[in-house]
Amino acid sequence: MNSFEADPTEPGAVSEPERLLQPVPEGRRITVMLAAFEGWNDAGEAASDALRYLNKLWGGKKAASIDADEYYDFQFTRPTIRRTASGERKIKWPSTRIFKASVPDSNVDVIFVQGTEPSYKWRAYTAELLVHAEAMRVDYVILVGALLADVPHSRPIPVSTSTDDNALRERMDLEASQYEGPVGIVGVLGEVSLLAGLPTVSLWAAVPHYVAQAPSPKAQLAILHRIEELLQVPLDTQELVEEADAWERGVDELATEDPEIAAYVRQLEEAKDTAELPEASGESIAREFERYLKRRGKDKP
């Protein structure tokens, strides 16, 4: 053992939070549902773009879909006309599609749920998704969203991870979301998944509100890094890293052209940097100390 590492068997040792995916018998696979929805829950399309990236990376194959006529108001979420590879025009209807992929060199299968937030019958819609989850033997659910926030583009994009599952929160040392107010389909699916007994966590990336238009590659990359940690699988994101760097340089250039925006960005940077100082928040210190005592109590014989 490294001399700097604590022995978890010693009194007072601080144990590391457990992983989301728990070990399974050899030969058994773990199935994780990853869900993101375009619309209200998807600032800069960072969440849906992150899942599209993974679906392409892992070669996902379409496994199911949900009937659009039952759940969408086409005057609000309008179909679009696209040209096919042969040059023919074809209408693309709003829909929810479900893909399945196997993560290379692992025992993890991923079910991707990708679609637009529905207009109608949210309870029936989420129930239908859970029917598919049961049929595909889903073990865990990870819900992905993105929201507009007062954060600077020049700093790491925050990604909060929370769960309302008490056992999961305790095991992974997570926090429950403190948000109260209107919710999107991500919040509804999260509650229904927990009621169905599925361990469920939510990821939310904070997208700078002054550059809210899609794409938002830096937020997308932050989401992918968090998914990488949760699934404990390596991701090839080099192409996206270059896109995120180019995006940040582009926003830098736009900010320097407008003194008011430049001053606002500096204000956000100062607030962010100050908040990250160890002495910045007595509340955060108290919270960390409480976590330490909780861990210490667990480790006592």
Side-chain angles (χ1 to χ4, degrees), residues 245-266:
D245 289 342
W247 175 87
E248 186 170 337
R249 289 194 301 271
V251 179
D252 285 340
E253 292 173 5
L254 291 175
T256 56
E257 295 173 1
D258 188 322
E260 290 187 7
I261 294 181
Y264 179 63
V265 171
R266 284 195 298 272

Side-chain angles (χ1 to χ4, degrees), residues 184-217:
I185 194 65
V186 169
V188 176
L189 181 56
E191 180 175 282
V192 174
S193 297
L194 283 174
L195 290 174
L198 291 170
T200 303
V201 298
S202 297
L203 310 181
W204 285 89
V207 176
H209 70 90
Y210 54 93
V211 280
Q213 67 275 16
S216 187

